[in-house]
Amino acid sequence: KDGNFSQEKPSKNHGDNEGSKPLIQSELSQDIEIYDIDEMLEKAGGFGRMQLLMLIAVTICYQGVGFYIYSLSYLELVPKLMCRVPGTDTFEKCADKSDICQDGKLIGRNNWYVDYNDGESFHNWMTDRELYCDSSLLIGLFGSVYFLGFAICGILLKQADKYGRKKILIFGLFVQIGC
């Protein structure tokens, strides 16, 4: 044949094409069985104790993940900083981080403070780790490492067919709990 598919459905008997695979149309023309979720669970062996335990474990683990992803924007939020006006005892909003940083280090701790009365100032990674002088790229990477873990996990999940999905899933859950 010339490689073109004919519009006619091939017969079940491929007398002149013995040993060759049937055309794509013949495979697509077969009846497709449709199952609902209960029938699929029954065909897969049912929803037993192991499935229930895995559902509970995954749900518990991913509740924390959802909280983390949602709160990531708050964890990296730069708080409002108040700087002392030179020669006075009054404070005003700092113009930029150069007012409190010199050579990448905090200076004059008594000359500035975090204004927690402002609605956008939180106790977060910025305040706990004193990341005020670090680059915004580094602060962004601090939270992005979590998503790098998702990417690495995607690569590891490809090994599930080699080692078994149950083993890989349980290993991933323990790694996530450990982190």
Side-chain angles (χ1 to χ4, degrees):
K1 295 206 173 195
D2 62 0
N4 293 330
F5 293 107
S6 65
Q7 295 298 325
E8 300 175 21
K9 285 175 75 175
S11 64
K12 296 283 183 187
N13 182 4
H14 303 288
D16 59 336
N17 288 341
E18 287 193 50
S20 67
K21 290 186 175 183
L23 295 176
I24 292 174
Q25 286 95 344
S26 68
E27 293 174 5
L28 293 177
S29 66
Q30 295 175 357
D31 291 336
I32 298 174
E33 294 182 45
I34 299 174
Y35 298 101
D36 65 9
I37 190 72
D38 294 326
E39 292 170 330
M40 286 303 297
L41 277 173
E42 187 177 319
K43 279 198 165 286
F47 192 82
R49 188 175 64 190
M50 181 61 189
Q51 287 79 9
L52 181 61
L53 289 174
M54 293 305 287
L55 176 67
I56 292 169
V58 169
T59 301
I60 289 171
C61 288
Y62 281 103
Q63 282 178 341
V65 172
F67 176 75
Y68 177 80
I69 291 171
Y70 174 73
S71 63
L72 191 57
S73 59
Y74 296 108
L75 294 171
E76 295 179 350
L77 184 67
V78 179
K80 181 179 177 185
L81 300 173
M82 301 297 287
C83 293
R84 184 185 303 273
V85 176
T88 67
D89 286 338
T90 59
F91 288 84
E92 62 182 31
K93 184 177 186 249
C94 298
D96 59 16
K97 68 181 182 180
S98 65
D99 292 340
I100 63 168
C101 300
Q102 187 175 33
D103 298 325
K105 301 204 186 299
L106 289 172
I107 56 170
R109 193 64 185 184
N110 58 348
N111 290 327
W112 64 273
Y113 69 91
V114 176
D115 183 12
Y116 288 112
N117 294 325
D118 184 68
E120 294 186 11
S121 295
F122 301 104
H123 288 283
N124 59 12
W125 286 344
M126 292 292 294
T127 59
D128 290 345
R129 305 283 181 241
E130 295 188 341
L131 301 173
Y132 309 112
C133 298
D134 293 327
S135 72
S136 58
L137 175 67
L138 179 65
I139 294 166
L141 286 175
F142 202 53
S144 297
V145 169
Y146 181 80
F147 299 104
L148 178 65
F150 264 106
I152 292 170
C153 183
I155 294 167
L156 291 178
L157 286 178
K158 298 285 256 171
Q159 303 300 316
D161 292 333
K162 183 176 181 181
Y163 297 108
R165 292 181 179 143
K166 183 177 172 183
K167 290 178 185 175
I168 296 292
L169 181 61
I170 291 172
F171 171 76
L173 289 174
F174 280 114
V175 167
Q176 186 176 9
I177 290 169
C179 291

